[in-house]
Amino acid sequence: MPKKVAKKKKADAEPAANPGDPPGPPPEKEPSEIFPELDVRPERWVNLQVKLVTWEHLNFAVVMRTSTRLYSIVDKVRDRHGGSIRDIILYRHQVHPQNILLDLGRTLDDVGFEGGSRNDPKDEVIWYDYQAHSSDCPLLLSSPRGASRKDVAKKVAADALKDAKLKEMQHATVDKSKEKEAAKEVKKEEPAEGEAKE
């Protein structure tokens, strides 16, 4: 025998959302409540002058959207240095502690670069600084042959003194060998003279 299905009462079918609301289906939401408004703005572009704090020969320019994230600029800087640098710090407009751009996930637009049209991008400047490669390797940490000026001067003086002593020893050795040869010749000549006297 099939089981009997209990019939539901209308009041139990759909409970009211709030105690004062009438029973029934919940009211439909407006589309603006379901979907957030989209920020549809025209693309804006900047002609970004990326400048190194210490040396102008590594400066470069790039045209990019204001929706570009700062970490993309850091990647471009790192590529320009062959990947040998780390801890890159970006500054907006000028080098000052208040202008450091810390959050690399933000876009150029978020940090205040307004931009212009694709055909007429606005010129903007961003500065960067970095920490050079560092290592714990003792071989890399040692200075090559005493690279400081004082060490080089001491080494040159020590080498000159060593060369002078070496030359002096060579002259002394040559002089001693000449004396020995002369003494041998004298000894050879003496017995020959002695035999002749007899």
Side-chain angles (χ1 to χ4, degrees):
M1 262 199 212
K3 293 185 178 182
K4 294 184 180 178
V5 179
K7 293 184 182 180
K8 292 182 180 179
K9 296 179 184 177
K10 283 189 176 181
D12 292 341
E14 294 178 12
N18 292 325
D21 290 345
E28 291 188 22
K29 292 184 177 181
E30 294 291 323
S32 61
E33 294 177 9
I34 298 172
F35 302 106
E37 290 184 29
L38 294 176
D39 184 14
V40 183
R41 291 183 279 180
E43 284 186 338
R44 291 176 301 182
W45 295 79
V46 291
N47 181 17
L48 196 62
Q49 304 293 319
V50 184
K51 297 183 176 186
L52 177 61
V53 171
T54 57
W55 199 36
E56 68 182 29
H57 295 289
L58 291 173
N59 297 350
F60 64 97
V62 63
V63 177
M64 52 183 32
R65 294 183 180 115
T66 56
S67 60
T68 304
R69 302 219 178 262
L70 294 175
Y71 63 77
S72 298
I73 298 168
V74 169
D75 288 343
K76 287 188 183 300
V77 168
R78 191 173 288 124
D79 289 345
R80 295 277 297 187
H81 288 266
S84 63
I85 62 174
R86 61 187 182 94
D87 296 336
I88 298 171
I89 301 169
L90 298 178
Y91 298 92
R92 182 176 177 260
H93 296 304
Q94 59 180 310
V95 180
H96 191 276
Q98 291 178 341
N99 295 336
I100 293 177
L101 302 172
L102 296 174
D103 185 5
L104 299 180
R106 297 177 72 188
T107 64
L108 290 171
D109 190 36
D110 293 342
V111 297
F113 293 103
E114 295 175 3
S117 67
R118 172 80 168 144
N119 296 331
D120 187 26
K122 187 174 180 184
D123 292 330
E124 295 283 359
V125 177
I126 195 165
W127 293 85
Y128 73 96
D129 199 5
Y130 64 91
Q131 181 177 357
H133 174 74
S134 64
S135 175
D136 294 339
C137 177
L139 184 61
L140 294 176
L141 293 175
S142 66
S143 61
R145 298 185 194 120
S148 74
R149 290 181 183 180
K150 289 179 182 178
D151 290 341
V152 170
K154 286 179 185 177
K155 183 168 175 62
V156 168
D159 287 346
L161 183 62
K162 186 178 176 181
D163 288 343
K165 286 182 180 179
L166 184 63
K167 286 181 183 178
E168 196 175 299
M169 289 173 57
Q170 287 174 346
H171 288 300
T173 306
V174 169
D175 291 341
K176 285 183 183 179
S177 63
K178 285 182 181 178
E179 288 176 8
K180 285 182 182 179
E181 287 178 21
K184 285 182 184 178
E185 287 180 19
V186 170
K187 285 184 182 179
K188 287 181 183 178
E189 291 176 10
E190 286 180 9
E193 289 176 10
E195 291 175 5
K197 289 181 183 178
E198 292 178 9

